[in-house]
Amino acid sequence: ILLEAVLDSNPTVLGSGTLSADQNPLASVGGIASFGGVNYTKAEVIRLRATRTGLTPVLSTAVDVQPAAIDHFRVEPDSATLTAGTPFDVTIRAYDNLDNIILDYDLRAASHTFGFTTTASNAPGGTTPLLATLSAGDFTNGVAVRSSTLYDAVTGASITFSVTESDTNKSGTTSLTPIATVNPAVEDHIAFTVEPSAMPSAGIDFPMQPTIHIRDQYENIRIVDTDDILLEAVLDSNPTVLGSG
């Protein structure tokens, strides 16, 4: 007798998981086939279909296969390219060891403690990454979506996010879509990054030549900007008045 797993919603269609048994097909003894070690890998509602050549197949009652215990998380931002200071979402999914999403994870982890972190750095101006807190109540059908904001502009990066669940010591880290680029925010100000020499000689090039950056509000350099910057000499005693030289 052959056992197969078919969908409860459409018994003509095989389930998407794998049905295992100690022996399948199993020879009957005295007209009886008592299967052992039967299990199924996909969390879905199935029926078992028993078939013997020459006889009409028979279906079992419905079997609602539940996900196993939490094994890992998948933690993926919604884009690999971001803008400093602009919020985005990070989607967190809870899976068992067979990659079944745990639909009732909010209930299973109701009293558990979570950590939500990133490898992103602080902005040059010191602004730290902003990540929403994470709790079991944030999960709906095994999925939590948490808002995050990064402030450090980078290119060619591989910024990841991680979730840890302390009660079971399970975790997960971004693997599919690490953040490669965080573009600067809109231009906000210019700043001297190399100051001119304090006491140069008149008519001779300053020993220390000035350098000026165009920056966003988080002090990231606007590397895509090609605008002209005008230098003028003003009086130290009154910066609203041009120098006489």
Side-chain angles (χ1 to χ4, degrees):
I1 295 177
L2 174 67
L3 274 188
E4 296 173 296
V6 296
L7 295 180
D8 176 58
S9 58
N10 186 353
T12 64
V13 177
L14 290 174
S16 56
T18 300
L19 180 71
S20 298
D22 291 340
Q23 187 175 343
N24 189 26
L26 177 66
S28 59
V29 177
I32 299 172
S34 297
F35 284 82
V38 176
N39 69 80
Y40 188 67
T41 60
K42 180 70 174 179
E44 60 186 0
V45 184
I46 60 169
R47 292 174 182 260
L48 297 181
R49 181 172 66 195
T51 304
R52 205 209 84 170
T53 303
L55 297 178
T56 302
V58 63
L59 295 175
S60 74
T61 56
V63 179
D64 189 357
V65 181
Q66 298 296 305
I70 182 67
D71 180 74
H72 62 280
F73 299 92
R74 288 182 185 162
V75 188
E76 301 297 337
D78 60 11
S79 176
T81 302
L82 307 172
T83 298
T86 300
F88 60 96
D89 288 334
V90 177
T91 300
I92 303 155
R93 294 179 171 86
Y95 290 92
D96 68 11
N97 63 316
L98 296 172
D99 275 346
N100 292 301
I101 193 162
I102 304 175
L103 299 179
D104 62 344
Y105 186 66
D106 56 324
L107 301 177
R108 297 192 191 189
S111 61
H112 297 183
T113 301
F114 293 83
F116 181 33
T117 60
T118 180
T119 59
S121 300
N122 297 348
T127 308
T128 60
L130 179 62
L131 275 62
T133 58
L134 178 65
S135 69
D138 296 318
F139 286 86
T140 301
N141 293 327
V143 180
V145 179
R146 307 308 293 147
S147 178
S148 303
T149 309
L150 304 184
Y151 300 96
D152 182 36
V154 293
T155 58
S158 184
I159 297 170
T160 60
F161 297 82
S162 295
V163 166
T164 56
E165 199 260 86
S166 60
D167 296 72
T168 60
N169 201 32
K170 300 301 182 181
S171 62
T173 299
T174 304
S175 61
L176 299 177
T177 54
I179 294 171
T181 301
V182 180
N183 291 312
V186 297
E187 59 188 32
D188 182 74
H189 61 281
I190 58 176
F192 281 94
T193 54
V194 177
E195 294 284 353
S197 303
M199 297 181 66
S201 298
I204 298 176
D205 288 351
F206 296 175
M208 186 66 71
Q209 294 291 309
T211 300
I212 299 159
H213 287 173
I214 302 173
R215 296 179 174 175
D216 68 11
Q217 69 186 95
Y218 311 110
E219 303 297 336
N220 294 301
I221 302 172
R222 292 270 311 169
I223 58 175
V224 297
D225 285 1
T226 58
D227 298 331
D228 291 339
I229 294 177
L230 174 66
L231 274 185
E232 296 176 296
V234 297
L235 296 180
D236 180 56
S237 58
N238 186 353
T240 66
V241 177
L242 291 172
S244 58

